[in-house]
Every structure is written in structure tokens, then in C-alpha cells.
Amino acid sequence: MTSFNLTLIENTSDIEISKLLEESERVGTVGSPSSTTKLTLNIMEYAIENKLIGELAIFKFRQNKKPHYTLGQITEVTLKNNLLEDSTMQSIARITGSVKQVSGTQDVHIGSFSPSAVFSHNSDTNFFEQSILGTVPSTGTPILQVSDIVLEKLLQKYLDQLFYLGHSYGSNTKLPMWFKHFGHGANGNGEAFHMGIFGATGSGKSTLAQRILIGYSKHKEMGLIILDPVGEFSKNMNADRIKSNVESSDPDYKSILQYLGKELIPINVRNLVLDRWDIFKQLLHESSFFRRLTVDGENRTNAINLLENKLTNSRVKLTDLSSRVTFDLVMNVLRDEENQEEIFSGKDPRSRLRSRLAAVNDEELYGVWISISSLFASRAGAHKISDLLSRFKQREKPFVIIDLSSQSIHELNLYWSETIQTLILIRLLRGLSDLGEEAWYNGESLNTLVVLDEAHRFAGKRHENDRNHSHLEGLKDRLIDYARTTRKFGLGWMFISTSLSSIDRDILQQLKIVFFGFGLSLGSDFLMLKEMIPDNSAIELYRSFGDPASSFTPETRQFPFMSKGPVSPLSFAGFPLFINAFSHDDFIIENKFDKKFRSPELQS
């Protein structure tokens, strides 16, 4: 037990905290040397057998004549025995294995305590408010374990804003998080945050991202849009848990969103209607349509521009492109000799085109045409991109998942390539940026987070021999520009990737909140990690993360993360926080979701 000087106690809330701390277990005391950024922790003898790494700890001190409380995590524990460091003692220990009355009894355990948050008591409001560690408490100041109830008392003013992703790494204490919307007013941040989640395959980054999005979904005024190039989010977050094969360890996200009153709009290429001529022209250029007619290079560009001009002059809309009437019009345009002169300047190429047009099977060519043009056709239950984006101008914004994987279009026999995926992304991102800028000029916030999975595909380094180089470079350039400019619009971006170093440095520099999962401890990823997290003790704690795949059973599997940025009321001092992600049931329970989302075993 720990006793405190009652002169520090000023009123009700402070009395309650002090009594709780008196009942808390003392881990150690402030030692020397210590500073305002890192304190030496002299670990108590009875605490040396406890698991201390990652443990949340707290100490009380007086600053500016007011009681203050500093919280942080223990990031390192070292053992020193000065007597055994003597060469004679080392020789004896080498022979006998230990030195009687020296080995063990003279051991000193020293911890490293990194302050992450400081609270001061406001006697006027009787709440605790953010402060700074502006001095170093005296040696011998007790440092104690933090319990959930202590955190609730300190954060009483903000309890309705808290959200929980897991326990403090190495302890059973919940680590409070908050995910404020990007607008103004209640529970608003006032501007957007850009985020990143990085880790090796199997590190739990997709599950963490999905749970963060649930945290943001509590705000009806905040829009969420996931751009899903491999279909993983579409599979997990839009799954009917009873009818699907999705792992039962995942929460029933679809039902949770319904419970929160958040509209979920799942979309894939089958029900996404493209709506720009420039996209159609680029897809037509890449397809085999003109290659079958032996039209290549600049001549192909001439032919496509000619078709666009003729079709628009004939009042053909994008939604009409897939009709047989439009295709017949296209073929008539190409067979017209005057039009052929606009495509080719030489007689021989024009003669070759006429011969090819006479020999080509129109039905086969129509099959190529319709596989592209159908992407622009109105379909039952389909969403036009412009109409979909307009939903983010509403007061209550939706949660949209766009599945851009090739699996989503196979049964419709639509044309598919990475270029389509890239062009759709460019169209969506440009549209969202335009909406954000419009909202900003009107004194409003778009209040929307865009999630880009497999971000290294689109926001990473490129090589000159990439087949899709120009489109990807254009997309990356836009992402860099948006990361720099859209925060004030209320438009934030979340980048998810298996590699940290593969993401363009200009984007990494704009990330306000970052989660690092297992698997970034080698090569260029580790160099970038050290650049982003310069504290050596934090890096060493991160390197101690175990591979989740090495667990003996799925039930004992843990998914640790290191977080950077203002993602928690305990992280405003700037030091990283370490977390073990919850299991499914703990996630449901601790965030007080309806009990029907718990596993059958827990309900019973």
C-alpha cells in the first residue's frame, strides 16, 4: 500500500483518485537520472517477478501548487549487479555459476518509464485537464500500476468519447482511444487526420482498420469510404456471419453498423456506373479493339478522339455506348473514307484499315466493345459515381465499400485490367477532393475518411518498366497532393500496407496517426520505422513483438501494435503507445455494443 501527503488533496475528484492510488500496487519509485521525457524507475523487489513491459503506470506530483498525474508505459527493464561486473567476481561466477551473497541478492532492476500524458485537476470544474510534465518529481516518488477505474476517473469528462481497441501491451488495463469526427461541434476534431496502418501479412492490420472504422461509424455526420482493390474489406464488413465462410473470430461488422444506425453501401464494379468520357477513351485505347484493326500508337489516339467527337455530335450518351445501335454507328464512322484520312495520313495504312474492316467479324468485335462500354451502362441497382459521391454532401453520411477486385466482375464478362482499377480510383479521389474544396469554400467540412487498402500498389515507388506506369504515377501524384491539401477540407486518408518503406515519403510525412504491427523490423522498413519513431526504447519494445502466427492456438494469438499520434487521451505527450488488440468478444463487450453480437458461448 502507498500513503500520500494529504496536503496534495484538494477536493472530491482528487480525493477519489488519491484513495484509488493508495490501493494500487507500487511498481517502483522515481530514480536517477530522470528527465521530463524519460524517467528512471527503481523497481520494487516484490515487483520484479511481475510482467512489467508495456504496463501502464502513474505517479502523482505537485506542479504550480496543483496536484498533477503523469501516465505512461514501462518500455524497458534492465538488470544491474555492480559487484558481479568486477573481473574477479566474473571469474568465480564462470567456475561456480554464481557468487554466494552476491548473485541475486545484489541485483538491481531498473525500468524506463516514458510519460505519455499529464493531467492536472481543475478545482473549478472538478475535472482533470491536459497538462505537461514541466518538472521532474523528486526521487522516491511512488510509481504505481494503473487500473481501469483510475483511468475512468481521470477521463470522466470524456467517457462518452472513448473507444477501446485493446489492452495496454503487457497488462490487463484497457487502453482508451478516441476517434473524433473531422467536423466541428460535439465530438469533432475540427480538421481531418491522415492515418496509416502498416504490418506484415497476418499482423492484424485489416482487423484493426475495420475496428477503427467502427469507432468512426458512431458519428452519423462522418462519411467513410473504403477503396478495396483485393476485396478483403468487402468480404469481412458486408458479410452475413451466419451464411458466410468468414472466420467466426471476426465481429459481425454488418450488424454492428446497423445497430449504430450507419448506412452501409457495398458496391463493386458490377453495380458501379462509370461516368467520364476520358475514362472510356483510356480504356478503349488499352483494349484489343483497335489492335484487331491494326491501329496503333498516335493513330489509335486519333481514332478514339474522332469517335468521341462523332458520338457526342450524334448526342450519344455514355450510358448508350453498349447498345448495338451505337456500335453500328462506330463501325460506320470507321468505314467512312474521309474519317480514315483523319486517322492515317498515308494511303497504305488507310488501305490496310479498309481491308481489316472488311475481314473482321463484327460480332467478335462487338463483344470487345460491349465488355468496355457496359461499364458505363445503367444497370438495375447500380450506382453512378457522381450520384454516389453526392451522398457525402448529406448531413448523415454513409459507409461505402467499393470492391475493385477482378473477382467482382467475372460473371458479367466485363473488361478488366489494372488500368480500370487505377482510373476508377483517380475518378473517385478527384471527385472527393472537389467535394471537399466546395465544402471548404462554403465554410463547411466534408467530414469524410477515405481508406485505401494495399496502398503500396498506388502510393509507392514505381519503376520505368511498369506496364501501367503512367496511370499509377498520376494516381500517386494525386495522393501526394491530396495528403498535403485536403485536411482543411475535412477529408482524411488512411493508407494500409504490408510495407512501410514502399509508401512514398511525401505521404508518410503527412500521416498524423500511425499504427505499426508486427513485421517491420528488417531492412528498409526498419530504417523508415526508426526515422518515424526516434526513441530507442520504443523501437526496442516494438522489436520484441511476437509473430501472431507463432501462437500455439488461435485462442492465444495476440496482435500487438505500436501507435503514434493523437489517437488516445493518453498520447498527447508524443510518446508512442503499445497495445494488444482485443479478441472479438472483448471488443464487443468493452465498447458496449448490443449483446447479440457476442459469441454464443458468452451469451449463455
Side-chain angles (χ1 to χ4, degrees), residues 305-317:
N305 290 335
L306 171 69
L307 282 181
E308 180 193 19
N309 183 50
K310 295 296 184 180
L311 291 175
T312 53
N313 287 341
S314 299
R315 301 185 182 280
V316 174
K317 300 178 181 179

Side-chain angles (χ1 to χ4, degrees), residues 272-276 383-393 427-428 431-432 435:
L272 185 66
V273 179
L274 306 187
D275 59 355
R276 289 290 186 271
H383 300 262
K384 193 174 181 180
I385 289 182
S386 56
D387 294 337
L388 179 65
L389 293 176
S390 68
R391 300 289 300 274
F392 291 90
K393 300 172 68 174
R427 167 69 182 102
L428 289 165
L432 287 166
L435 285 178

Side-chain angles (χ1 to χ4, degrees), residues 516-554:
F516 306 97
F518 172 81
L520 304 174
S521 295
L522 297 173
S524 56
D525 281 340
F526 186 57
L527 294 176
M528 181 59 68
L529 182 66
K530 290 198 296 183
E531 186 174 329
M532 298 179 71
I533 308 291
D535 187 280
N536 287 333
S537 62
I539 289 294
E540 289 305 311
L541 179 52
Y542 169 82
R543 295 186 75 178
S544 71
F545 285 178
D547 186 347
S550 65
S551 300
F552 290 163
T553 65

Side-chain angles (χ1 to χ4, degrees), residues 275-402:
D275 59 355
R276 289 290 186 271
W277 277 100
D278 59 335
I279 298 178
F280 173 74
K281 290 165 61 178
Q282 291 181 75
L283 296 182
L284 188 60
H285 191 283
E286 186 195 70
S287 73
S288 64
F289 184 85
F290 280 106
R291 189 161 56 249
R292 296 187 179 208
L293 299 177
T294 66
V295 181
D296 294 311
E298 184 178 347
N299 299 313
R300 185 179 298 184
T301 301
N302 295 338
I304 291 173
N305 290 335
L306 171 69
L307 282 181
E308 180 193 19
N309 183 50
K310 295 296 184 180
L311 291 175
T312 53
N313 287 341
S314 299
R315 301 185 182 280
V316 174
K317 300 178 181 179
L318 283 168
T319 53
D320 301 327
L321 290 175
S322 61
S323 72
R324 183 62 190 235
V325 173
T326 300
F327 174 76
D328 290 340
L329 175 59
V330 167
M331 297 304 294
N332 289 335
V333 169
L334 294 176
R335 288 186 171 110
D336 186 279
E337 294 189 4
E338 291 185 4
N339 293 334
Q340 292 173 2
E341 292 180 0
E342 293 190 32
I343 300 173
F344 292 107
S345 58
K347 291 183 179 180
D348 289 343
R350 291 199 297 270
S351 177
R352 186 173 64 249
L353 174 60
R354 285 193 292 272
S355 298
R356 188 61 188 148
L357 285 168
V360 73
N361 185 317
D362 279 14
E363 294 302 320
E364 290 183 3
L365 199 59
Y366 179 54
V368 176
W369 175 268
I370 200 170
S371 70
I372 302 168
S373 58
S374 292
L375 293 166
F376 300 80
S378 298
R379 304 182 289 281
H383 300 262
K384 193 174 181 180
I385 289 182
S386 56
D387 294 337
L388 179 65
L389 293 176
S390 68
R391 300 289 300 274
F392 291 90
K393 300 172 68 174
Q394 299 175 357
R395 181 176 179 82
E396 293 190 3
K397 298 178 174 61
F399 187 128
V400 176
I401 306 177
I402 300 181

Side-chain angles (χ1 to χ4, degrees), residues 27-249:
V27 177
T29 59
V30 174
S32 178
S34 291
S35 70
T36 54
T37 57
K38 193 168 298 289
L39 285 85
T40 297
L41 172 63
N42 292 329
I43 299 174
M44 306 301 294
E45 182 177 4
Y46 57 79
I48 61 176
E49 295 184 357
N50 296 346
K51 184 171 62 175
L52 298 176
I53 290 296
E55 183 74 55
L56 268 179
I58 185 172
F59 64 84
K60 183 175 182 178
F61 70 106
R62 198 167 182 83
Q63 183 174 275
N64 294 339
K65 301 180 180 181
K66 295 172 60 178
H68 283 64
Y69 300 86
T70 296
L71 295 97
Q73 287 181 296
I74 300 172
T75 57
E76 185 179 36
V77 175
T78 59
L79 168 66
K80 289 185 67 67
N81 190 319
N82 291 331
L83 294 178
L84 277 180
E85 293 177 10
D86 178 79
S87 59
T88 302
M89 293 294 185
Q90 288 178 344
S91 298
I92 296 173
R94 188 164 52 247
I95 297 172
T96 64
S98 64
V99 180
K100 189 176 181 181
Q101 296 181 341
V102 173
S103 298
T105 58
Q106 299 298 320
D107 291 349
V108 176
H109 290 78
I110 300 173
S112 179
F113 176 86
S114 300
S116 61
V118 183
F119 294 92
S120 65
H121 187 265
N122 187 324
S123 57
D124 294 330
T125 64
N126 204 24
F127 287 121
F128 294 93
E129 299 176 346
Q130 177 180 338
S131 184
I132 64 170
L133 185 59
T135 185
V136 182
S138 60
T139 56
T141 299
I143 297 181
L144 308 106
Q145 285 185 335
V146 177
S147 64
D148 290 333
I149 190 170
V150 168
L151 289 177
E152 289 178 3
K153 289 294 182 182
L154 284 172
L155 301 172
Q156 187 174 4
K157 183 179 180 180
Y158 312 102
L159 289 180
D160 63 331
Q161 300 179 32
L162 299 184
F163 194 77
Y164 297 97
L165 296 175
H167 295 107
S168 174
Y169 182 76
S171 80
N172 294 321
T173 305
K174 295 179 297 184
L175 191 61
M177 300 282 183
W178 50 18
F179 298 101
K180 301 180 180 182
H181 65 79
F182 298 158
H184 300 279
N187 299 327
N189 188 61
E191 65 173 0
F193 282 166
H194 303 326
M195 308 176 67
I197 302 178
F198 304 99
T201 300
S203 62
K205 61 184 181 299
S206 294
T207 297
L208 186 75
Q210 290 158 11
R211 295 182 181 184
I212 289 173
L213 294 175
I214 292 295
Y216 279 123
S217 294
K218 296 172 70 175
H219 309 295
K220 292 186 178 182
E221 64 268 51
M222 183 170 181
L224 299 162
I225 179 168
I226 301 176
L227 305 175
D228 190 10
V230 296
E232 182 175 0
F233 281 84
S234 303
K235 175 184 176 183
N236 288 344
M237 301 203 74
N238 186 42
D240 185 328
R241 192 66 53 206
I242 297 175
K243 298 178 182 179
S244 73
N245 293 321
V246 179
E247 294 182 11
S248 60
S249 59

